[in-house]
Amino acid sequence: MWTYQAPVADMLHLLTRVLDAPASWAAQPALADLDADTAAEVLAQAGRFAGEVLAPTNAAGDQQGCTWSPAGVTTPPGFRAAYRAFVDGGWPALACSSDAGGQGLPQVLNMALFEMLAAANHGWTMYPGLLHGAYEVVLHHGTPELKALYLDQLVSGEALGTMCLTEPQAGSDLGLVRTQATVVAGEAANGVPVQVSGSKIFISGGDHDLTVNIVHLVLCRLAGAPAGTKGLSLALVPKLRPDGARNTVVCDGIEHKMGIHGSATCQMRFDAADGWLIGEPHRGLAAMFLMMNAARLHVAMQGVGHLEAATQNAWRYANERLQMRAAVRPADAVAAPGPDPIAWHPAMRRTLWTLQARTDGCRAIAYWCALLLDEAEHHPDAARRATAAGHVAILTPVAKSLFTELGHRSADEALQVWGGYGYVRDYGIEQTVRDSRIAMVYEGTNEIQAIDLVQRKLLDDGGARARALMADLAAEAAACRSRPALQPFADALAQQLALWEQALQALQAGRSADAEHPLRVADDVLAGVGHALLAWAWARIARTAVQAPQPAVPGARSADQWLQSATFGLQWLLPQAQVHWQRATQPGLALPFLAA
């Protein structure tokens, strides 16, 4: 009942027509050899893997889940074969540097790949989801000896990686981490052998049977380290020691979760486990942020994947399900007695267009963020690298929060298309509702993302990065003003940017008078910024649709269909931003403490 076909044509349309990715690649020597045809072939092959190999494991993986025993974790049937096909296809190496044995392709193609994987089977995707982040940590912080041991394993996918942060008493407050690292000999320094002892919880892929070895990156504390986050170090602790012997890393159990049953969420115990410091002592959180930021963007793509899967299945079902006569039939409908497809009824049309407009808008923002990530790393102009990095700093918490909220909310709204059938297992949407919920929680809850956005990204530099991003967004409004048909998009985007500026000023003034003010309105500020970005995305999509006709990307929607989606977003969805901006700019909103 539930299917997934990667929307490769839509992805290519956004990349090559709406965002003009080939021009961005041409300006970066490291990516200059990549063209639209090569990107199309990469996405087509990724789509085949996601749709033909991975998607068939989704429902069974959810129903059977993982199995724990003292010997280790067993993943659901089909997961190992799918992972072997993933490795054999070279997918782990896609965006890794060619100097490190990777393919050297851009992050935007890797993000598109992981959107497909999450849409096809979110639970399975959790295993390789942290692989690129682990690669980044070892590449940038590992000693030559550690790179020689583990970098090739991570690039090839021979070993998978984990991010071991959370402890029972240390969730979002990582300063409370107690796991200890003891230096085996000599002084603490990067690459020095250590023994790690402590317990971690909620560790995705902490144990499994997909790879023989697992590279654990563990936040820990050296003896005598300062309290709080400034005393945290990072250790690389493998499941297998270099000689092949089993390390003293134990999975004590797996969580029984609401969703993503195919992902082993593990309780891990390190009993004087052998490892090495990676990065400088007491600078572990800074090293780990490479992995955390990569993880947040991958989680954002999970939201887009859930949006896409819910959208395409809801559209298909609504066109097949016949119920009642529509008040008005489409002009080209063939007259026939009896009930009509529910897709013709206004309530369903509104739901379906909501799903489509959100999917298009979020995907455009996501791919732009990934293009900026590539420019921040590869662009030859230092000023452009700095600007791109500043944009990504703001976009990352917004993307993680906005996409995952819309991914879950949209799956929940899509369930309504099936009616009672949606609430039972047979049709698949209930699994998507369950699976998508966790993405709002892990890798920093969406509330934490909002606080990060407001305090660190909007206020700490006086709003400089925010205004630089707003200036780039305003350029789209100016471009739209050249065509009368696009005037509503230009006006709406300009209004959103003006409201963002007002909110920025209100935050700065509010913090001076009331230290808690930015925290009270942080969620609304993030939602407002998210809507401003959606206004930009819909404007850009609409402008592309009304420009001089170009040869269509094979299989893509027509220009009119793209314009209809963007117009629906503008007229039906963007007005919600007013609620968030009003709260974000209103001082003194009551938020009393709860009675004990």
Side-chain angles (χ1 to χ4, degrees), residues 247-270:
N247 207 351
T248 49
V249 179
V250 181
C251 175
D252 285 328
I254 56 176
E255 303 296 344
H256 302 284
K257 308 184 295 292
M258 174 181 176
I260 57 169
H261 296 151
S263 170
T265 306
C266 300
Q267 304 157 20
M268 301 300 297
R269 175 164 44 89
F270 299 86

mmCIF file of all heavy atoms in Angstrom, residues 247-270:
data_model
loop_
_atom_site.group_PDB
_atom_site.id
_atom_site.type_symbol
_atom_site.label_atom_id
_atom_site.label_comp_id
_atom_site.label_asym_id
_atom_site.label_seq_id
_atom_site.Cartn_x
_atom_site.Cartn_y
_atom_site.Cartn_z
ATOM 1 N N ASN A 247 36.808 -4.941 22.089
ATOM 2 C CA ASN A 247 37.035 -3.927 23.114
ATOM 3 C C ASN A 247 35.982 -4.087 24.212
ATOM 4 O O ASN A 247 34.955 -4.754 24.021
ATOM 5 C CB ASN A 247 36.946 -2.531 22.471
ATOM 6 C CG ASN A 247 37.760 -1.486 23.214
ATOM 7 O OD1 ASN A 247 38.265 -1.731 24.309
ATOM 8 N ND2 ASN A 247 37.887 -0.318 22.617
ATOM 9 N N THR A 248 36.218 -3.452 25.344
ATOM 10 C CA THR A 248 35.269 -3.538 26.457
ATOM 11 C C THR A 248 34.184 -2.466 26.300
ATOM 12 O O THR A 248 33.995 -1.598 27.150
ATOM 13 C CB THR A 248 35.996 -3.398 27.805
ATOM 14 O OG1 THR A 248 36.860 -2.256 27.758
ATOM 15 C CG2 THR A 248 36.803 -4.643 28.096
ATOM 16 N N VAL A 249 33.510 -2.546 25.182
ATOM 17 C CA VAL A 249 32.357 -1.690 24.864
ATOM 18 C C VAL A 249 31.144 -2.610 24.794
ATOM 19 O O VAL A 249 31.122 -3.550 24.005
ATOM 20 C CB VAL A 249 32.546 -0.959 23.520
ATOM 21 C CG1 VAL A 249 31.325 -0.111 23.198
ATOM 22 C CG2 VAL A 249 33.808 -0.123 23.534
ATOM 23 N N VAL A 250 30.136 -2.354 25.635
ATOM 24 C CA VAL A 250 29.025 -3.286 25.798
ATOM 25 C C VAL A 250 27.710 -2.565 25.550
ATOM 26 O O VAL A 250 27.477 -1.466 26.064
ATOM 27 C CB VAL A 250 29.018 -3.886 27.224
ATOM 28 C CG1 VAL A 250 27.870 -4.873 27.385
ATOM 29 C CG2 VAL A 250 30.355 -4.546 27.529
ATOM 30 N N CYS A 251 26.844 -3.182 24.770
ATOM 31 C CA CYS A 251 25.465 -2.716 24.632
ATOM 32 C C CYS A 251 24.617 -3.442 25.668
ATOM 33 O O CYS A 251 24.432 -4.655 25.580
ATOM 34 C CB CYS A 251 24.937 -2.967 23.222
ATOM 35 S SG CYS A 251 23.190 -2.562 23.011
ATOM 36 N N ASP A 252 24.101 -2.700 26.653
ATOM 37 C CA ASP A 252 23.325 -3.312 27.728
ATOM 38 C C ASP A 252 21.848 -3.479 27.385
ATOM 39 O O ASP A 252 21.110 -4.117 28.136
ATOM 40 C CB ASP A 252 23.429 -2.462 29.002
ATOM 41 C CG ASP A 252 24.773 -2.629 29.684
ATOM 42 O OD1 ASP A 252 25.336 -3.736 29.598
ATOM 43 O OD2 ASP A 252 25.257 -1.663 30.296
ATOM 44 N N GLY A 253 21.417 -2.934 26.261
ATOM 45 C CA GLY A 253 20.013 -3.065 25.880
ATOM 46 C C GLY A 253 19.667 -2.049 24.822
ATOM 47 O O GLY A 253 20.460 -1.157 24.492
ATOM 48 N N ILE A 254 18.474 -2.202 24.264
ATOM 49 C CA ILE A 254 17.990 -1.239 23.266
ATOM 50 C C ILE A 254 16.636 -0.707 23.723
ATOM 51 O O ILE A 254 15.886 -1.373 24.430
ATOM 52 C CB ILE A 254 17.870 -1.864 21.860
ATOM 53 C CG1 ILE A 254 16.971 -3.095 21.856
ATOM 54 C CG2 ILE A 254 19.256 -2.206 21.319
ATOM 55 C CD1 ILE A 254 16.743 -3.701 20.477
ATOM 56 N N GLU A 255 16.344 0.514 23.311
ATOM 57 C CA GLU A 255 15.099 1.157 23.705
ATOM 58 C C GLU A 255 13.929 0.626 22.866
ATOM 59 O O GLU A 255 14.091 0.290 21.693
ATOM 60 C CB GLU A 255 15.211 2.683 23.510
ATOM 61 C CG GLU A 255 16.362 3.322 24.258
ATOM 62 C CD GLU A 255 16.242 3.219 25.767
ATOM 63 O OE1 GLU A 255 15.133 2.913 26.266
ATOM 64 O OE2 GLU A 255 17.258 3.443 26.456
ATOM 65 N N HIS A 256 12.761 0.576 23.485
ATOM 66 C CA HIS A 256 11.527 0.179 22.804
ATOM 67 C C HIS A 256 10.753 1.460 22.517
ATOM 68 O O HIS A 256 10.149 2.051 23.407
ATOM 69 C CB HIS A 256 10.746 -0.806 23.672
ATOM 70 C CG HIS A 256 11.548 -2.028 24.011
ATOM 71 N ND1 HIS A 256 11.774 -3.051 23.104
ATOM 72 C CD2 HIS A 256 12.222 -2.373 25.141
ATOM 73 C CE1 HIS A 256 12.530 -3.984 23.664
ATOM 74 N NE2 HIS A 256 12.819 -3.598 24.897
ATOM 75 N N LYS A 257 10.781 1.873 21.263
ATOM 76 C CA LYS A 257 10.426 3.238 20.906
ATOM 77 C C LYS A 257 9.076 3.327 20.204
ATOM 78 O O LYS A 257 8.521 2.333 19.744
ATOM 79 C CB LYS A 257 11.502 3.831 19.992
ATOM 80 C CG LYS A 257 12.926 3.704 20.523
ATOM 81 C CD LYS A 257 13.935 4.399 19.634
ATOM 82 C CE LYS A 257 14.042 3.776 18.259
ATOM 83 N NZ LYS A 257 14.617 2.432 18.270
ATOM 84 N N MET A 258 8.607 4.554 20.100
ATOM 85 C CA MET A 258 7.368 4.861 19.389
ATOM 86 C C MET A 258 7.505 4.580 17.900
ATOM 87 O O MET A 258 6.554 4.143 17.244
ATOM 88 C CB MET A 258 7.044 6.342 19.628
ATOM 89 C CG MET A 258 5.875 6.899 18.865
ATOM 90 S SD MET A 258 5.702 8.660 19.277
ATOM 91 C CE MET A 258 4.350 9.120 18.178
ATOM 92 N N GLY A 259 8.683 4.838 17.339
ATOM 93 C CA GLY A 259 8.905 4.658 15.916
ATOM 94 C C GLY A 259 10.337 4.275 15.626
ATOM 95 O O GLY A 259 11.091 3.898 16.522
ATOM 96 N N ILE A 260 10.738 4.389 14.374
ATOM 97 C CA ILE A 260 12.040 3.948 13.853
ATOM 98 C C ILE A 260 12.511 2.656 14.535
ATOM 99 O O ILE A 260 13.620 2.567 15.037
ATOM 100 C CB ILE A 260 13.107 5.058 13.874
ATOM 101 C CG1 ILE A 260 13.352 5.654 15.260
ATOM 102 C CG2 ILE A 260 12.763 6.146 12.881
ATOM 103 C CD1 ILE A 260 14.607 6.565 15.320
ATOM 104 N N HIS A 261 11.628 1.671 14.514
ATOM 105 C CA HIS A 261 11.933 0.404 15.184
ATOM 106 C C HIS A 261 13.125 -0.320 14.565
ATOM 107 O O HIS A 261 13.767 -1.131 15.230
ATOM 108 C CB HIS A 261 10.706 -0.509 15.138
ATOM 109 C CG HIS A 261 9.536 0.027 15.891
ATOM 110 N ND1 HIS A 261 8.236 -0.254 15.551
ATOM 111 C CD2 HIS A 261 9.475 0.857 16.968
ATOM 112 C CE1 HIS A 261 7.412 0.361 16.393
ATOM 113 N NE2 HIS A 261 8.136 1.050 17.256
ATOM 114 N N GLY A 262 13.414 -0.050 13.307
ATOM 115 C CA GLY A 262 14.553 -0.702 12.680
ATOM 116 C C GLY A 262 15.892 -0.131 13.097
ATOM 117 O O GLY A 262 16.940 -0.693 12.777
ATOM 118 N N SER A 263 15.875 0.992 13.808
ATOM 119 C CA SER A 263 17.108 1.612 14.293
ATOM 120 C C SER A 263 17.358 1.175 15.728
ATOM 121 O O SER A 263 16.493 1.333 16.596
ATOM 122 C CB SER A 263 16.991 3.139 14.230
ATOM 123 O OG SER A 263 18.069 3.765 14.900
ATOM 124 N N ALA A 264 18.540 0.641 15.978
ATOM 125 C CA ALA A 264 18.898 0.212 17.332
ATOM 126 C C ALA A 264 19.343 1.426 18.140
ATOM 127 O O ALA A 264 20.405 1.991 17.894
ATOM 128 C CB ALA A 264 20.016 -0.823 17.279
ATOM 129 N N THR A 265 18.514 1.834 19.094
ATOM 130 C CA THR A 265 18.849 2.937 19.998
ATOM 131 C C THR A 265 19.346 2.319 21.285
ATOM 132 O O THR A 265 18.572 1.715 22.039
ATOM 133 C CB THR A 265 17.624 3.825 20.241
ATOM 134 O OG1 THR A 265 17.098 4.254 18.989
ATOM 135 C CG2 THR A 265 17.994 5.045 21.067
ATOM 136 N N CYS A 266 20.628 2.457 21.560
ATOM 137 C CA CYS A 266 21.311 1.575 22.516
ATOM 138 C C CYS A 266 21.691 2.258 23.820
ATOM 139 O O CYS A 266 21.987 3.460 23.860
ATOM 140 C CB CYS A 266 22.586 1.028 21.877
ATOM 141 S SG CYS A 266 22.295 0.066 20.376
ATOM 142 N N GLN A 267 21.701 1.448 24.873
ATOM 143 C CA GLN A 267 22.318 1.822 26.146
ATOM 144 C C GLN A 267 23.730 1.236 26.121
ATOM 145 O O GLN A 267 23.898 0.022 26.052
ATOM 146 C CB GLN A 267 21.516 1.244 27.308
ATOM 147 C CG GLN A 267 20.053 1.631 27.314
ATOM 148 C CD GLN A 267 19.194 0.661 28.083
ATOM 149 O OE1 GLN A 267 19.696 -0.099 28.931
ATOM 150 N NE2 GLN A 267 17.901 0.643 27.802
ATOM 151 N N MET A 268 24.727 2.099 26.161
ATOM 152 C CA MET A 268 26.114 1.664 25.982
ATOM 153 C C MET A 268 26.902 1.809 27.282
ATOM 154 O O MET A 268 26.730 2.787 28.030
ATOM 155 C CB MET A 268 26.783 2.492 24.884
ATOM 156 C CG MET A 268 26.112 2.404 23.528
ATOM 157 S SD MET A 268 26.066 0.734 22.850
ATOM 158 C CE MET A 268 27.816 0.399 22.683
ATOM 159 N N ARG A 269 27.792 0.854 27.511
ATOM 160 C CA ARG A 269 28.661 0.882 28.686
ATOM 161 C C ARG A 269 30.105 0.711 28.237
ATOM 162 O O ARG A 269 30.431 -0.199 27.456
ATOM 163 C CB ARG A 269 28.263 -0.233 29.658
ATOM 164 C CG ARG A 269 29.168 -0.377 30.873
ATOM 165 C CD ARG A 269 28.487 -1.218 31.955
ATOM 166 N NE ARG A 269 27.831 -2.396 31.407
ATOM 167 C CZ ARG A 269 28.428 -3.590 31.248
ATOM 168 N NH1 ARG A 269 29.712 -3.746 31.582
ATOM 169 N NH2 ARG A 269 27.746 -4.615 30.763
ATOM 170 N N PHE A 270 30.961 1.593 28.712
ATOM 171 C CA PHE A 270 32.397 1.555 28.408
ATOM 172 C C PHE A 270 33.130 1.191 29.698
ATOM 173 O O PHE A 270 33.104 1.951 30.674
ATOM 174 C CB PHE A 270 32.872 2.914 27.881
ATOM 175 C CG PHE A 270 32.194 3.326 26.604
ATOM 176 C CD1 PHE A 270 30.965 3.992 26.626
ATOM 177 C CD2 PHE A 270 32.774 3.066 25.371
ATOM 178 C CE1 PHE A 270 30.328 4.371 25.452
ATOM 179 C CE2 PHE A 270 32.142 3.450 24.189
ATOM 180 C CZ PHE A 270 30.915 4.099 24.228
#
